[in-house]
Amino acid sequence: MKYMWEGRFKEKAEKDIIDFTKSIDIDKKLAIYDIEGSIAHVKMLFKVGLITKKEKEEILDGLKKIKKEINENKLKFLPTDEDIHTVVERRLIELIGKTGEKLHTARSRNDQIVLDEKLFLRDEIIYLIKQIISLQNCFLKKSEECFDIIISSYTHLKQSQPVLLSHYFLAYIEKLERDKERFLESYKRVNIFPLGVGACAGTSLPIDREYTAKLLNFPAISKNSLDTVSDRDFLIEVVFCCVLTLIHLSSFSQDLIIWNMDEIDFVKLPDRYCTGSSLMPHKKNPDVFELIRGKTSSCIGLFTGLLTLVKGLPLSYNRDLQEDKKPLFEIIEITKSILKIISKVVPKIEFNKEIIKNKISSFTLSTDIAEYLVKKGKPFREAYIIVGNIVNYCIENNKTFFSLTLDEFKKFSQVFENDIFKILNFESSVNVKISDGGTSSINVKREIGRWKKKLEKSLDLIISLEKGVSILRK
Ligand code: ARG
């Protein structure tokens, strides 16, 4: 192909400038989507009479050949190729000649890149949602498996109140559910068709955007050309969804790193998911979880970069936007790999039940004692102080709640009776937490059942989403 802007320019760009401005090394990832978008565009050009049937067929034939080359990794890039759009156009003209020059009718790379990104993101969102559902299923299985384990919950990393370990895993299912909902919400905005707004103002040619949108299964088209070529909200939203999912998984990793400390030793991680030290022969480190934390930090950085990229850009398209793809691809790849890794590791985590049991302090029952006093008519604030005094007494006399006699309890309040001993155990503490959302076994069992049904239904959701994606990487 000739130099693209030959007409206007008297001299060719310098090699350094070409190298500096090109993005092919990154946006080649969108090749397959670029072709699919072009196929639909060409069909529309024929429908409205901008190209003949013969021209349409020649172009479609050429595009199919390029698609095959892409799939077989045979599409060659030249040093002068700027981006994926110009590569496809150049190759098309090489393959079919002059007719190929009609492909770009009523289209600009400014709207084309938005379409490519949206086609890519529709696929990726579906894949990410699938991964989230399978991770939720992993957590659910673990939750069932751990139903008999009571662990202290923590606030401020200090022992708080006993909970079922199942309840802990259900908490992560909830977080992931919100992540899933957020991705679905972002999908709506990704699913608005951008092509046909041209460089920024629309076109005088008689195109039919609704038709192209329909071919590519977009339920709606964008309404303002200036907005369409400058909008990257859709992309930033998806990236935000990734980052928040990662933040959740990073917190989960942090718990595991702590639980895996020698001093705590609540979990046993399988050798095959750990790594050793190059120097200290005894070490078995939870590097995978540390890297999840670390990679989450990198993604937050990339996300901040994206926000900074669009901040203060004047309307409409600006070349700065070309820089959106590198962080986008990286964040999506990292998110997918972390979801995959965690799904592999979670089923293999073993809990050291005895250690967990021995490490819970009797003081985690302090709120139960205060609530006992409330039930006997004490105002909560007074009950709180009474129990605080008992805790102090225990600490000073090297006792636990379990070693106190009724007489000792009575020293702090006459309200104490023998029934205090019934509530002084972790099982009963857990099982009285029957308020909605509480950790009682009845609640937790009900929640496990609810999630089982809900996650089965999630599969229907995926099937319906996949139907919405016309052609692509199914
Ligand atoms: N590669 C560009 C991008 O990623 C699209 C090309 C637009 N180039 C231009 N000079 N208007 O955004």
Side-chain angles (χ1 to χ4, degrees):
M1 190 166 91
K2 287 174 278 176
Y3 193 46
M4 201 166 40
W5 28 87
E6 193 158 281
R8 167 71 176 79
F9 285 59
K10 292 215 176 80
E11 51 178 7
K12 287 190 175 179
E14 254 180 50
K15 185 178 175 309
D16 284 349
I17 299 301
I18 294 175
D19 289 346
F20 184 71
T21 53
K22 73 203 305 199
S23 57
I24 185 64
D25 288 339
I26 308 234
D27 61 28
K28 62 184 176 195
K29 198 178 172 93
L30 297 171
I32 207 75
Y33 300 103
D34 201 72
I35 298 278
E36 295 303 341
S38 292
I39 290 174
H41 181 66
V42 166
K43 288 181 182 166
M44 184 278 291
L45 291 179
F46 164 67
K47 183 193 172 249
V48 300
L50 282 167
I51 55 172
T52 65
K53 189 158 193 244
K54 186 165 166 285
E55 287 168 335
K56 175 189 80 168
E57 265 145 34
E58 275 174 37
I59 298 177
L60 287 181
D61 216 48
L63 288 173
K64 265 179 217 144
K65 283 191 185 126
I66 303 174
K67 187 173 173 180
K68 192 160 177 275
E69 289 179 356
I70 293 166
N71 286 334
E72 291 169 359
N73 229 345
K74 284 185 183 148
L75 181 63
K76 296 259 171 336
F77 303 132
L78 306 178
T80 47
D81 284 331
E82 186 181 310
D83 57 25
I84 190 58
H85 323 301
T86 48
V87 169
V88 171
E89 191 177 338
R90 169 191 53 78
R91 184 69 186 132
L92 184 71
I93 295 166
E94 277 169 16
L95 286 169
I96 68 166
K98 196 90 184 143
T99 312
E101 292 185 15
K102 294 207 166 184
L103 174 66
H104 212 55
T105 310
R107 187 174 79 170
S108 154
R109 288 180 298 160
N110 299 355
D111 54 351
Q112 194 179 350
I113 184 61
V114 181
L115 175 62
D116 290 6
E117 290 181 330
K118 288 189 162 191
L119 290 170
F120 165 79
L121 282 173
R122 285 202 314 197
D123 259 12
E124 295 297 329
I125 291 173
I126 293 175
Y127 189 79
L128 285 158
I129 291 178
K130 275 192 195 171
Q131 284 193 301
I132 290 178
I133 295 172
S134 67
L135 183 56
Q136 283 180 303
N137 274 310
C138 278
F139 278 125
L140 188 59
K141 276 208 189 92
K142 212 66 201 163
S143 175
E144 282 187 281
E145 234 175 82
C146 296
F147 194 70
D148 61 332
I149 304 180
I150 294 176
I151 190 165
S152 173
S153 58
Y154 292 83
T155 58
H156 318 273
L157 266 187
K158 298 288 282 177
Q159 291 204 358
S160 301
Q161 291 180 280
V163 291
L164 290 181
L165 187 51
S166 298
H167 198 54
Y168 173 90
F169 283 109
L170 289 171
Y172 274 98
I173 300 181
E174 294 283 349
K175 291 183 196 301
L176 289 168
E177 184 65 15
R178 290 195 296 277
D179 293 330
K180 192 169 78 189
E181 280 168 10
R182 265 185 287 270
F183 274 114
L184 275 171
E185 189 58 33
S186 72
Y187 191 91
K188 285 190 205 159
R189 271 155 317 259
V190 168
N191 216 9
I192 291 171
F193 187 68
L195 200 68
V197 299
C200 64
T203 175
S204 67
L205 296 169
I207 59 170
D208 183 347
R209 295 184 61 212
E210 295 277 359
Y211 178 74
T212 329
K214 213 163 145 205
L215 289 178
L216 290 165
N217 265 311
F218 281 86
I221 64 170
S222 64
K223 298 294 188 207
N224 180 298
S225 56
L226 293 169
D227 174 48
T228 306
V229 295
S230 58
D231 170 32
R232 292 296 181 277
D233 301 1
F234 67 93
L235 180 152
I236 289 174
E237 268 189 73
V238 178
V239 166
F240 171 70
C241 295
C242 289
V243 168
L244 200 48
T245 306
L246 292 184
I247 285 175
H248 291 147
L249 299 178
S250 177
S251 290
F252 174 70
S253 303
Q254 174 71 350
D255 277 340
L256 283 176
I257 293 166
I258 292 171
W259 289 351
N260 188 55
M261 283 172 68
D262 296 318
E263 291 79 358
I264 293 182
D265 204 23
F266 283 179
V267 286
K268 198 168 145 212
L269 302 175
D271 284 3
R272 70 184 124 136
Y273 296 126
C274 294
T275 45
S277 150
S278 61
L279 184 137
M280 297 167 283
H282 70 288
K283 295 276 274 181
K284 180 178 145 189
N285 300 327
D287 298 35
V288 166
F289 295 104
E290 293 166 277
L291 278 169
I292 291 172
R293 256 187 345 204
K295 284 176 193 264
T296 299
S297 309
S298 310
C299 286
I300 293 171
L302 292 168
F303 174 55
T304 312
L306 268 173
L307 294 176
T308 316
L309 181 71
V310 293
K311 179 207 149 285
L313 278 190
L315 268 188
S316 59
Y317 179 84
N318 296 277
R319 192 64 179 275
D320 315 41
L321 292 174
Q322 179 166 295
E323 292 295 308
D324 64 354
K325 281 164 281 301
K326 200 172 174 198
L328 170 70
F329 295 156
E330 203 165 330
I331 291 172
I332 289 201
E333 279 320 307
I334 291 179
T335 309
K336 289 198 296 191
S337 71
I338 289 182
L339 282 164
K340 182 172 157 199
I341 296 268
I342 295 220
S343 291
K344 275 175 177 248
V345 185
V346 167
K348 302 279 184 277
I349 299 168
E350 282 176 40
F351 285 92
N352 296 327
K353 292 187 190 182
E354 274 313 298
I355 297 177
I356 291 176
K357 204 170 166 184
N358 295 335
K359 288 265 170 80
I360 308 195
S361 152
S362 71
F363 294 154
T364 59
L365 301 175
S366 67
T367 316
D368 296 284
I369 303 178
E371 288 181 3
Y372 166 92
L373 292 172
V374 167
K375 285 177 198 153
K376 301 261 176 188
K378 288 274 178 209
F380 178 75
R381 208 30 82 206
E382 191 187 333
Y384 177 98
I385 291 171
I386 294 171
V387 183
N389 288 332
I390 303 177
V391 172
N392 262 340
Y393 170 81
C394 287
I395 294 172
E396 279 158 14
N397 295 285
N398 207 11
K399 296 194 172 205
T400 73
F401 286 157
F402 301 134
S403 59
L404 296 180
T405 62
L406 185 57
D407 283 345
E408 284 174 298
F409 274 116
K410 274 191 179 295
K411 266 193 230 150
F412 296 92
S413 167
Q414 281 308 313
V415 163
F416 282 111
E417 297 297 344
N418 250 325
D419 55 357
I420 181 64
F421 297 110
K422 268 200 237 137
I423 68 154
L424 279 185
N425 66 77
F426 302 123
E427 285 75 17
S428 118
S429 167
V430 162
N431 282 326
V432 293
K433 304 295 175 350
I434 50 171
S435 56
D436 288 336
T439 188
S440 69
S441 352
I442 291 185
N443 280 3
V444 169
K445 206 173 256 164
R446 190 182 336 106
E447 281 303 290
I448 290 176
R450 183 175 74 82
W451 277 113
K452 262 191 193 157
K453 284 202 201 109
K454 198 169 158 125
L455 292 181
E456 268 164 31
K457 277 214 195 102
S458 296
L459 290 178
D460 301 341
L461 168 83
I462 290 300
I463 294 167
S464 74
L465 276 181
E466 278 183 333
K467 266 192 210 140
V469 177
S470 47
I471 5 142
L472 312 173
R473 276 192 296 146
K474 281 189 192 161

